[in-house]
Amino acid sequence: MIDVGSTLESTSVQLSDGTTADLLGEGHRGTLVYFMRTTTCMMCNAHVRTLTSNAKDFRDRGVRVLIAVPQEATAAQAWVERRRIPFPVVPGLHGDLGLARRLLGSMMQSGTVVVDATGRVTYADIVTMPTGGYRHRDVLAALDALPQHAG
């Protein structure tokens, strides 16, 4: 499980569109990763809409947003195109960072993680029930606590 204070060992990820990106993103103060339970989860989609409607908050703070989905790349990209998701989407990242299926294997964990420019996890809110997977006020406080300069 990903914990506050841990450091990501590998930060290169494959996006749903087939390109490769670095989780840290050059020139960013940090990266917010929102983990969806599944692209069909109504609550997770509501959280993505909240992220989208607050995109200016993230830009103003110099923070990049990534959406992680457990589906494979083709299904993830179809969801991106259908929903017009404005953020890069990372398929299959859940297992790499220790998120798992809970409640007898029936429910994938979701939540929010903030990583600073050095790869250190500064905020992690991982939940089994997706209703609590994103708290905008808490996330903004975590982003405001990031160092002012990237790197």
Side-chain angles (χ1 to χ4, degrees), residues 1-77:
M1 178 60 75
I2 192 164
D3 294 311
V4 171
S6 62
T7 302
L8 300 181
E9 293 183 26
S10 174
T11 60
S12 180
V13 293
Q14 185 85 20
L15 301 177
S16 62
D17 65 4
T19 62
T20 302
D22 190 301
L23 275 176
L24 307 182
E26 189 171 327
H28 292 91
R29 289 178 55 218
T31 301
L32 180 158
V33 182
Y34 174 67
F35 290 88
M36 295 183 71
R37 185 173 69 87
T38 177
T39 57
T40 59
C41 172
M42 288 178 19
M43 183 55 63
C44 296
N45 276 286
H47 290 316
V48 171
R49 284 190 301 276
T50 299
L51 287 161
T52 300
S53 67
N54 291 290
K56 185 178 182 320
D57 289 339
F58 310 121
R59 277 192 310 273
D60 289 350
R61 287 168 171 81
V63 173
R64 180 175 58 168
V65 176
L66 298 176
I67 307 296
V69 299
Q71 282 88 346
E72 49 83 26
T74 303
Q77 188 60 27

Side-chain angles (χ1 to χ4, degrees), residues 12 42 50 69 74 79 90-91 95 98 104 107 116 122 136:
S12 180
M42 288 178 19
T50 299
V69 299
T74 303
W79 172 77
V90 185
L104 303 174
M107 191 166 300
D116 72 12
T122 61
H136 192 64

Side-chain angles (χ1 to χ4, degrees), residues 79-115:
W79 172 77
V80 167
E81 292 168 4
R82 187 172 58 256
R83 296 282 183 143
R84 296 186 180 117
I85 304 302
F87 305 115
V89 173
V90 185
L93 188 60
H94 291 64
D96 293 344
L97 295 182
L99 278 74
R101 291 190 173 277
R102 298 284 188 240
L103 297 176
L104 303 174
S106 67
M107 191 166 300
M108 176 62 77
Q109 289 181 302
S110 64
T112 309
V113 172
V114 174
V115 181

Side-chain angles (χ1 to χ4, degrees), residues 27 48 69 100 121 129 140 146:
V48 171
V69 299
V121 177
M129 297 304 294
L140 291 183
L146 289 171

